[in-house]
């Protein structure tokens, strides 16, 4: 039964008061009034009631609208039972337990019953261990079940990751935190929103034992704690955070408090730091209170907002960060200003905001220096850990061997094979679905074609049935990166009386939503996607969930609708029309198509860069309300030549083009250029990439350090049958990769040159095939016995990847590159050049 609902303004005031007073009961009561729910607390003891109130008090909307009270009670009771049964349970302070054991949510994953499942599997495994040893043991268990594989931005739940046996770092860390909490060990996910010295980001885990936080790579167990492949890059990070569920008042620096979480700064645990005080002023020099201040790290060719803070009444805000450069962007009421901040050099900076502020044409961004701290690890422990990892790999591989491989897929119709292979541990669901609708294969396959690879790995039969048997031919259940849940039959029934009118005029559905769905007035609250049915049942949403709700309802009624992937705009098409209409939530009346103009980027190709890639070399952001909003083009298909050379359509407005040339040192030579798009006109903008000067070594390409080859024993010339990755042989950092042709003079000269010098970094030498291996003898070239790994490039996959990336025009050997395990190429040479060994050593010397 629902309780009486308050107005948005009064609810928001209660939230603010609850946060200020750090009062769980106040926050809980405010959440009840905001969402409109009543819990049946009969049968709960006082401890269970307090835990349940805490979870609901700080829950994002989706956790209230989409999960039952029984789900929470089962997890609360299991958590309290675990505290009683685990030997460390009563040694954990109540505040640490409440914030780092009790919460079910780690990040933005869908909630599941992992706590109940993992406890049964882990309780005996950690029996009798100390907390530190139990942390290591849990991580070994995680490695048995999941290994790293990159994927899209949607985060799988812990049980979904186990089912598919893979996960990106955010999913591995979510799994590991969930597993540690399942046995009562406090744990939190730590993430650097973006690396400062290279593109990409990373997430790992901190666990609490004996009064102290320790870190480790999730699903990447080392022999000891406080050790991972990321020790060195973490020492170069600008920012590292964790989101703590609830109103947390710990010893760490608080970055932000919201109605759901407290964000704390952990960069000081890994890197040398410094603090800067910022003052935000207007054109008259007066403080601007409550200005939005975004701290931006250059990464993926954009200035990415890594953390957001709000200025106090005096216009002041401060931040502690690693000792490098950031762009600091302040805005309020459509006005904005910026400054470059160098942590470790600057101590106080002023940012002036105005209606229009000139942007820099060129800006150099320097990351923090590297100062890793590495624990001492006895060799015996390292050897034992390596042996365990191999055993765990074998256990996981035995499970994945039950998946449908390309060879096994030959037993099924050709059109089904890609879906069965991609579905991994979820293949039985996909197979059952295809068999269930064997008489409607065209529709069934069309539905599967709308799903991402990750969707295929965790979609349920309920979701597939719902979309397959719905009346609508809008088959896709996906709007953006939200969890998939059934909704089409639900909305067919709920909007049966209005379906014909809404389909004839989709704007009527927009107006219904404006009238009936309340928006959460707390704009700083988490915006994790609610289910569309949850939005309908509780009649409340944030902007993101409202947008998804509109598209889901529209598609259920047979209306063309989408959330544009590039701009994030919600759009629909009138029946029989090819024009997309933007939904204007803040305007009344019939919506119209947004006027557009054409953007042409003028670029002159140079060697190695005959084309430029979006996110690697450049990005475009739209100025909206004084902020830069990235245009999210498809990273796999968007380049200068494919999209902007001959002109791309953009909405009218002001935009910012950012380009960046990354140096091997991590420094970026960036350019920033502002331009306007006018309706019906073509705007031509220069696309320029700044070049390295002096002793700078530029990043010239990308190459996957996980590429695999077959090792060769240089003494016996035997070839291993199991492929290994480059990364596993080189360790982290820079390495030299050479592909040589045996019996060819250029390759012979190059090998002799390399033998004359001490390269100082790992070297991998790959031969063409088995015949070349039989010809090879390392002693013929006086190659050193240590520091070189020999192998065979199967099917020339590595050579072909280098040829494609570096635009190599022939098969001339040798090919040498210097690359690193962040997938960056900083040097290449095809064919022999005099003193090649010395050239390699010189380049590597500059990289130090």
């Amino acid at each position: 039964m629902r309780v009486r609902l308050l107005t948005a303004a009064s609810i928001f005031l209660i939230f603010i008061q609850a946060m200020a007073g750090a009062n769980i009961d106040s926050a809980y009561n405010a959440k009840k009034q905001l969402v409109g729910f009543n819990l049946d607390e009969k049968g709960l003891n006082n401890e269970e009631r307090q835990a349940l109130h805490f979870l609901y008090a700080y829950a994002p909307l989706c956790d209230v609208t989409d999960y039952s009270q029984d789900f929470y009670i089962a997890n609360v009771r299991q958590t309290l039972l675990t505290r009683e049964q685990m030997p460390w349970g009563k040694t954990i302070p109540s505040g640490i337990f409440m914030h780092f054991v009790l919460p079910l949510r780690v990040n933005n994953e869908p909630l599941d019953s992992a706590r109940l499942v993992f406890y049964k599997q882990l309780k005996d495994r950690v029996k009798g261990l100390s907390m530190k040893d139990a942390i290591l043991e849990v991580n070994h268990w995680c490695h048995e079940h999941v290994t790293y594989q990159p994927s899209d931005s949607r985060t799988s739940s812990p049980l979904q990751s186990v089912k598919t046996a893979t996960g990106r770092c955010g999913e591995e860390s979510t799994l590991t935190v969930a597993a540690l909490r399942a046995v009562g060990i406090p744990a939190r996910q730590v993430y650097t929103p973006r690396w400062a010295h290279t593109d990409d980001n990373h997430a790992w885990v901190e666990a609490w034992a004996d009064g102290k936080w320790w870190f480790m790579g999730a699903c990447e167990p080392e022999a000891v704690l406080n050790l991972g492949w990321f020790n060195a890059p973490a020492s170069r990070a600008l920012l590292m955070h964790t989101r703590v569920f609830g109103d947390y008042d710990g010893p760490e620096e608080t970055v932000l408090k919201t109605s759901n979480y407290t964000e704390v700064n952990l960069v000081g645990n890994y890197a040398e730091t410094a603090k800067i005080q910022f003052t935000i002023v207007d054109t008259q020099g007066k403080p601007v209170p409550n200005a939005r201040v975004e701290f931006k790290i250059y990464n993926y060719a954009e200035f990415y907002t890594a953390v957001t803070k709000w200025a106090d009444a005096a216009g002041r805000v401060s931040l502690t960060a690693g000792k490098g450069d950031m762009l600091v962007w302040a805005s309020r009421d459509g006005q904005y200003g910026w400054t470059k901040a160098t942590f470790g050099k600057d101590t106080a900076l002023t940012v002036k905001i105005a209606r229009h502020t000139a942007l820099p044409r060129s800006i150099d961004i320097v990351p923090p220096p590297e100062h890793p701290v590495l624990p001492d690890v006895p060799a015996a422990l390292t050897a034992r850990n390596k042996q365990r990892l191999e055993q765990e790999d074998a256990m996981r591989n035995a499970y994945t061997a039950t998946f449908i491989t390309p060879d096994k897929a030959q037993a099924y119709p050709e059109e089904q094979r890609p879906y069965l292979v991609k579905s991994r541990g979820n293949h039985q669901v996909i197979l059952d679905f295809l068999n269930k609708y064997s008489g409607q294969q065209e529709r069934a396959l069309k539905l599967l074609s709308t799903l991402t690879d990750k969707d295929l790995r965790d979609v349920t039969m309920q979701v597939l049935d719902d979309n397959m048997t719905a009346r609508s031919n809008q088959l896709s259940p996906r709007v953006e990166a939200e969890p998939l849940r059934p909704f089409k039959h639900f909305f067919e029934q709920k909007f049966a009386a209005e379906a014909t009118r809404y389909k004839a005029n989709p704007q009527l559905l927009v107006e219904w939503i404006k009238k009936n769905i309340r928006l959460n007035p707390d704009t700083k609250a988490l915006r994790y996607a609610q289910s569309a049915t949850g939005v309908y049942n509780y009649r409340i949403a944030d902007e993101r969930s409202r947008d998804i709700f509109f598209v889901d309802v529209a598609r259920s009624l047979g209306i063309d609708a989408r959330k544009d992937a590039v701009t994030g705009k919600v759009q629909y098409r009138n029946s029989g029309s090819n024009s997309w209409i933007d939904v204007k939530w803040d305007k009344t009346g019939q919506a119209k198509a947004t006027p557009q103009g054409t953007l042409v980027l003028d670029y002159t190709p140079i060697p190695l860069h005959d084309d430029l890639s979006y996110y690697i070399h450049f990005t475009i952001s739209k100025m909206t309300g004084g902020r830069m909003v990235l245009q999210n083009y498809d990273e796999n298909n968007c380049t200068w030549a494919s999209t902007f050379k001959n002109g791309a359509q953009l909405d009218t407005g002001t935009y910012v083009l950012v380009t960046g040339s990354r140096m091997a040192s991590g420094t970026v030579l960036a350019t920033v250029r502002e331009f306007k798009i006018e309706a019906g006109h073509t705007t031509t903008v220069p696309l320029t990439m700044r070049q390295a000067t002096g002793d700078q070594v530029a990043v010239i390409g990308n190459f996957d350090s996980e590429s695999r080859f077959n090792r060769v024993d240089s003494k016996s010339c035997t070839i291993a049958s199991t492929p290994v990755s480059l990364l596993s042989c080189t360790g982290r950092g820079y390495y030299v990769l050479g592909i040589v042709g045996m019996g060819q003079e250029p390759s012979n000269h190059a090998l002799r040159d390399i033998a004359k010098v001490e390269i100082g970094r790992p070297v991998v030498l790959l031969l063409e095939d088995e015949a070349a291996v039989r010809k090879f003898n390392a002693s013929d070239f006086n190659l050193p016995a240590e520091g070189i790994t020999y192998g065979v490039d199967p099917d020339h996959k590595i050579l072909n990847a280098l040829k494609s990336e570096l635009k190599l025009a022939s098969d001339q050997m040798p090919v040498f590159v210097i690359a690193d395990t962040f997938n960056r190429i900083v040097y290449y040479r095809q064919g022999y050049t005099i003193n090649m060994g010395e050239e390699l050593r010189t380049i590597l010397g500059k990289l130090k």
Side-chain angles (χ1 to χ4, degrees):
M1 184 177 70
R2 301 217 177 144
V3 299
R4 182 177 59 87
L5 301 178
L6 300 181
T7 65
S10 62
I11 293 167
F12 187 56
L13 178 61
I14 293 173
F15 260 125
I16 296 300
Q17 292 171 339
M19 291 166 59
N23 188 305
I24 295 172
D25 289 335
S26 295
Y28 170 72
N29 289 328
K31 184 63 63 66
K32 285 178 64 177
Q33 295 295 325
L34 174 67
V35 182
F37 67 87
N38 260 333
L39 297 183
D40 180 2
E41 299 182 3
K42 294 178 182 178
L44 298 179
N45 62 38
N46 189 53
E47 192 174 33
E48 292 169 345
R49 185 178 298 106
Q50 288 178 343
L52 200 62
H53 282 199
F54 174 78
L55 294 178
Y56 272 91
Y58 300 105
L61 284 179
C62 64
D63 289 359
V64 180
T65 63
D66 293 342
Y67 299 93
S68 70
Q69 178 181 337
D70 289 343
F71 170 82
Y72 282 106
I73 291 174
N75 278 278
V76 163
R77 286 176 171 163
Q78 178 61 63
T79 303
L80 297 176
L81 175 65
T82 301
R83 184 173 62 175
E84 291 296 319
Q85 294 187 340
M86 290 293 110
W88 45 76
K90 294 183 180 180
T91 70
I92 299 171
S94 59
I96 295 291
F97 175 84
M98 180 173 64
H99 290 291
F100 301 106
V101 178
L102 178 59
L104 308 180
R105 177 170 295 287
V106 179
N107 199 318
N108 59 352
E109 76 284 3
L111 302 184
D112 64 19
S113 298
R115 181 159 303 188
L116 284 68
V117 175
F118 291 174
Y119 174 76
K120 293 177 182 178
Q121 297 189 35
L122 284 166
K123 63 177 181 177
D124 292 333
R125 186 155 173 165
V126 299
K127 188 176 181 179
L129 298 179
S130 68
M131 283 190 79
K132 288 174 62 177
D133 286 341
I135 292 167
L136 291 168
E137 191 61 34
V138 169
N139 205 18
H140 277 288
W141 178 88
C142 292
H143 179 248
E144 286 176 14
H145 290 85
V146 173
T147 191
Y148 176 77
Q149 179 174 298
S151 62
D152 62 42
S153 61
R154 179 170 68 83
T155 303
S156 298
S157 75
L159 289 177
Q160 288 170 339
S161 294
V162 169
K163 189 173 187 178
T164 197
T166 59
R168 54 179 172 77
C169 61
E171 291 162 329
E172 289 181 305
S173 52
T174 295
L175 163 72
T176 306
V177 169
L180 288 164
R181 290 178 180 176
V183 291
I185 295 175
R188 59 194 185 188
Q189 181 189 58
V190 181
Y191 58 97
T192 177
R194 291 289 190 272
W195 290 120
H197 68 288
T198 190
D199 292 337
D200 211 352
N201 59 1
H202 193 50
W204 57 94
V205 171
E206 285 187 351
W208 187 93
D210 307 324
K212 182 178 178 181
W213 288 100
W214 308 80
F215 71 83
M216 60 185 179
C219 303
E220 299 172 338
E222 298 282 355
V224 298
L225 296 172
N226 286 358
L227 180 62
W229 67 261
F230 50 88
N231 283 62
S235 73
R236 305 192 70 185
L238 283 164
L239 289 168
M240 291 169 194
H241 304 148
T242 189
R243 286 180 173 177
V244 185
F245 191 80
D247 188 359
Y248 173 68
D249 188 22
E252 305 91 347
E253 178 188 56
T254 296
V255 175
L256 178 67
K257 278 186 180 289
T258 76
S259 59
N260 306 123
Y261 66 90
T262 304
E263 188 168 281
V264 297
N265 191 348
L266 301 178
V267 68
N269 293 355
Y270 303 88
E272 295 181 0
T273 65
K275 188 175 184 178
I276 300 178
Q277 180 78 46
F278 299 89
T279 303
I280 316 303
V281 300
D282 61 18
T283 53
Q284 281 75 46
K286 296 180 180 179
V288 180
N290 205 36
R292 184 187 187 109
V293 184
E294 299 173 79
F295 296 88
K296 294 177 174 287
I297 298 173
Y298 180 92
N299 195 285
Y300 282 127
E302 69 160 323
F303 286 100
Y304 174 84
T305 300
V307 67
T308 300
K309 303 184 81 171
W310 277 263
D312 63 15
R316 294 173 302 191
V317 67
S318 64
L319 185 71
T320 300
K323 294 182 176 180
D325 293 345
M326 269 194 279
L327 200 67
V328 181
W329 189 280
S331 61
R332 182 177 173 181
D333 300 331
Q335 300 191 31
Y336 63 95
W338 67 275
T339 188
K340 177 180 140 179
T342 301
F343 289 82
K345 176 184 176 183
D346 301 319
T347 57
L349 291 170
T350 299
V351 183
K352 182 181 292 186
I353 67 173
R355 185 62 57 188
H356 181 270
T357 301
L359 297 178
R361 186 55 58 89
S362 298
I363 182 170
D364 294 354
I365 299 294
V366 180
E370 185 175 297
H371 295 293
V373 177
L374 298 170
D376 293 327
V377 186
L381 279 181
T382 300
R384 170 60 181 151
N385 193 71
K386 182 178 179 181
Q387 184 180 38
R388 287 199 66 179
L389 295 180
E390 292 173 352
Q391 294 169 347
E392 290 154 10
D393 285 339
M395 295 170 67
R396 187 179 60 256
N397 291 339
Y399 167 62
T400 59
T402 65
F403 298 173
I404 296 180
T405 63
D407 287 342
K408 293 178 183 178
Q410 297 303 311
Y412 301 94
E414 183 177 1
E415 62 273 14
Q416 297 181 2
R417 295 170 193 168
Y419 305 113
L420 295 172
V421 172
K422 291 177 180 178
S423 60
R424 293 180 63 82
N426 202 41
H427 62 267
Q428 193 60 52
V429 169
I430 304 301
L431 191 58
D432 289 345
F433 169 71
L434 290 168
N435 289 335
K436 185 175 184 178
Y437 298 102
S438 58
Q440 300 171 273
Q441 283 293 282
E442 183 178 356
R443 183 177 174 90
L445 292 169
K446 187 176 179 181
L447 169 56
L448 293 181
S449 72
T450 71
L451 303 179
T452 68
D453 289 357
K454 184 177 288 184
D455 291 340
L456 292 168
R457 299 198 291 263
D458 56 35
V459 69
T460 64
M461 183 63 81
Q462 290 86 351
V463 169
L464 294 172
D465 280 340
D466 179 62
N467 289 274
M468 184 68 189
T469 60
R471 289 195 292 269
S472 173
N473 287 322
Q474 300 287 319
L475 288 176
S476 177
R478 172 156 306 293
V479 179
E480 35 127 311
E482 78 280 12
L484 296 183
R485 298 181 177 94
F487 61 84
K488 284 185 177 168
H489 283 279
F490 179 88
F491 291 125
E492 282 179 3
Q493 186 268 323
K494 295 297 181 183
F495 289 96
E498 298 89 356
T500 301
R501 290 190 302 116
Y502 288 177
K503 191 168 184 179
N505 183 6
Q507 187 63 28
L508 295 176
L509 175 58
V510 175
E511 299 304 323
W512 185 93
I513 293 173
K514 288 181 183 180
K515 180 179 179 180
N516 291 280
I517 304 299
R518 296 171 295 133
L519 281 181
N520 185 358
D522 184 358
T523 58
K524 298 179 184 178
L526 286 169
R527 297 173 62 167
Y528 297 156
Q530 299 165 256
S531 70
T533 55
V535 171
Y536 182 89
N537 287 332
Y538 286 86
R539 304 298 171 96
I540 186 169
D542 55 36
E543 289 88 347
R544 180 191 177 195
S545 295
R546 175 202 59 193
D547 292 350
I548 296 171
F549 175 80
F550 168 79
V551 177
D552 281 347
V553 175
R555 289 178 177 173
S556 300
L557 304 181
I559 300 167
D560 285 355
R562 71 180 185 182
K563 189 171 183 180
D564 182 64
V566 175
T567 64
K569 297 187 301 182
V570 181
Q571 300 173 317
Y572 64 81
R573 281 196 297 217
N574 289 311
S575 180
S577 172
N578 291 322
S579 298
W580 287 102
I581 305 297
D582 295 340
V583 173
K584 304 288 188 180
W585 295 112
D586 56 346
K587 295 182 180 180
T588 59
Q590 186 66 38
K592 298 179 180 179
T594 300
Q596 293 186 320
T598 302
L599 171 65
V600 172
L601 294 182
D602 183 17
Y603 173 67
T604 302
I606 61 175
L608 284 186
H609 291 315
D610 58 347
D611 197 2
L612 297 182
S613 297
Y614 203 78
Y615 299 117
I616 295 176
H617 302 109
F618 71 99
T619 58
I620 296 169
S621 296
K622 187 177 184 182
M623 293 296 297
T624 304
R627 300 178 58 217
M628 292 194 294
V629 179
L630 181 70
Q631 305 299 283
N632 291 292
Y633 288 92
D634 184 352
E635 63 180 316
N636 297 314
N637 298 306
C638 182
T639 68
W640 163 71
S642 69
T643 308
F644 299 101
K645 180 179 179 180
N646 298 317
Q649 295 298 110
L650 272 68
D651 290 350
T652 56
T654 301
Y655 292 83
V656 176
L657 170 68
V658 175
T659 71
S661 299
R662 177 81 72 175
M663 302 295 104
S665 65
T667 293
V668 175
L669 309 180
T671 65
V672 181
R673 191 181 299 271
E674 184 178 302
F675 62 92
K676 289 186 177 181
I677 296 294
E678 298 179 348
H681 290 78
T682 297
T683 300
T684 301
V685 179
L687 180 59
T688 57
M689 299 289 294
R690 295 170 60 194
Q691 301 300 304
T693 59
D695 287 339
Q696 291 177 319
V697 179
V699 176
I700 59 174
N702 293 279
F703 175 70
D704 185 5
S705 62
E706 295 280 4
S707 298
R708 304 178 81 81
F709 67 98
N710 295 89
R711 293 188 69 159
V712 171
D713 186 308
S714 61
K715 294 181 180 179
S716 65
C717 287
T718 55
I719 303 173
S721 58
T722 303
V724 296
S725 68
L726 287 164
L727 173 61
S728 68
C729 299
T730 64
R732 291 285 171 176
Y734 284 101
Y735 61 89
V736 176
L737 169 64
I739 304 177
V740 297
M742 291 314 304
Q744 300 176 7
E745 283 302 313
S747 292
N748 293 345
H749 282 303
L751 293 174
R752 291 190 178 97
D753 263 5
I754 289 172
K756 293 177 184 178
V757 301
E758 185 176 340
I759 297 295
R761 292 300 303 167
V763 177
V764 176
L765 291 178
L766 299 182
L767 308 174
E768 295 178 272
D769 49 33
E770 187 174 351
V773 172
R774 291 195 295 268
K775 299 177 184 177
F776 177 69
N777 188 337
S779 62
D780 290 346
F781 306 99
N782 295 318
L783 290 165
E786 302 292 334
I788 299 180
T789 300
Y790 301 93
V792 172
D793 179 15
D795 302 321
H796 307 299
K797 290 182 179 179
I798 291 178
L799 176 60
N800 290 336
L802 290 174
K803 287 173 65 176
S804 175
E805 179 67 19
L806 299 172
K807 318 301 181 189
L808 305 181
S810 70
D811 292 328
Q812 182 184 6
M813 298 290 185
V815 174
F816 277 86
V817 301
I818 297 175
D820 73 357
T821 45
F822 285 99
N823 300 334
R824 306 179 302 176
I825 301 174
V826 298
Y827 162 93
Y828 86 100
R829 176 74 68 183
Q830 183 178 29
Y832 173 67
T833 185
I834 296 174
N835 294 325
M836 179 180 283
E838 187 61 39
E839 185 175 70
L840 290 169
R841 185 167 66 175
T842 299
I843 296 295
L844 288 166
K846 292 180 179 180
L847 298 176
K848 293 180 181 178

